[in-house]
Amino acid sequence: MNYVLEQHIKNLQEHTWELCYDRESNTATFINEKGETMDFETFSWCLGALKNTLHDMEEKKYGIQIKTPLDEFTKKRLGIRDYKLITDEERGGIRSIFEVYSDENEIFTLNRFDVYNNRKLYENGFLAYLNRFEAECVLESLESFVKRFKGK
């Protein structure tokens, strides 16, 4: 653990922090018992630690998330149909995956996520489930969009 990280942890442990919200400026800050505010680096580290803890708890409760495109075994096991891998790229240590498919429950799934440090992230992605009616509604708009920009 580097020195800066150790200092952030020490600073957090030595004080009692309170979240204070200012209605006039619409801002929130963490303030300790001495009236000192938490610096941005410590706050960012806290958010990262909470996010990692939440991820670990979810994987412990629900199982490890699939962080790769669906393989043939998983497709068969889940009754996946109409599978299409749109994107599977790696840039700068981030793997971006976008896949679409339907299943035997008549649900069409659009799954776009990134994998960074072995964590599945949706910050720049999305997970959408469409039933047949919703897919039909979206299809008309998608076809119109593709026709309008095709050949440009």
Side-chain angles (χ1 to χ4, degrees):
M1 201 179 308
N2 66 31
Y3 177 77
V4 174
L5 182 57
E6 289 174 3
Q7 292 305 308
H8 289 313
I9 293 171
K10 184 179 177 186
N11 186 28
L12 288 169
Q13 292 174 334
E14 290 179 349
H15 299 285
T16 302
W17 296 94
E18 183 178 331
L19 179 64
C20 298
Y21 178 72
D22 181 0
R23 290 182 188 275
E24 289 185 24
S25 64
N26 201 26
T27 59
T29 54
F30 283 104
I31 300 176
N32 66 19
E33 68 280 358
K34 295 180 180 179
E36 301 168 332
T37 59
M38 185 181 293
D39 61 278
F40 182 74
E41 290 80 15
T42 303
F43 180 67
S44 296
W45 183 85
C46 287
L47 289 177
L50 286 171
K51 186 175 182 179
N52 288 335
T53 301
L54 177 62
H55 181 272
D56 293 342
M57 290 171 61
E58 285 176 345
E59 283 201 340
K60 185 176 181 180
K61 183 173 183 176
Y62 300 114
I64 295 174
Q65 295 180 340
I66 297 172
K67 300 171 188 92
T68 60
L70 296 179
D71 59 36
E72 292 305 316
F73 175 76
T74 303
K75 290 181 212 174
K76 282 185 178 184
R77 184 174 55 85
L78 298 176
I80 300 297
R81 302 174 184 153
D82 312 313
Y83 181 86
K84 174 93 172 155
L85 179 61
I86 309 296
T87 306
D88 184 2
E89 303 172 337
E90 189 160 346
R91 289 184 311 267
I94 298 174
R95 185 174 182 183
S96 297
I97 298 167
F98 181 21
E99 56 192 352
V100 297
Y101 52 88
S102 64
D103 63 26
E104 43 194 39
N105 297 312
E106 300 181 9
I107 300 295
F108 189 80
T109 301
L110 295 97
N111 191 11
R112 163 63 183 91
F113 60 93
D114 293 330
V115 178
Y116 179 70
N117 284 341
N118 205 30
R119 306 267 191 212
K120 190 174 191 175
L121 308 171
Y122 281 99
E123 280 86 1
N124 296 317
F126 54 87
L127 180 59
Y129 300 109
L130 304 173
N131 62 31
R132 186 182 55 82
F133 173 76
E134 294 165 334
E136 285 176 358
C137 292
V138 170
L139 185 59
E140 183 180 326
S141 180
L142 279 173
E143 287 175 337
S144 175
F145 172 77
V146 170
K147 285 177 185 174
R148 184 171 50 255
F149 293 104
K150 198 169 192 164
K152 281 193 172 188

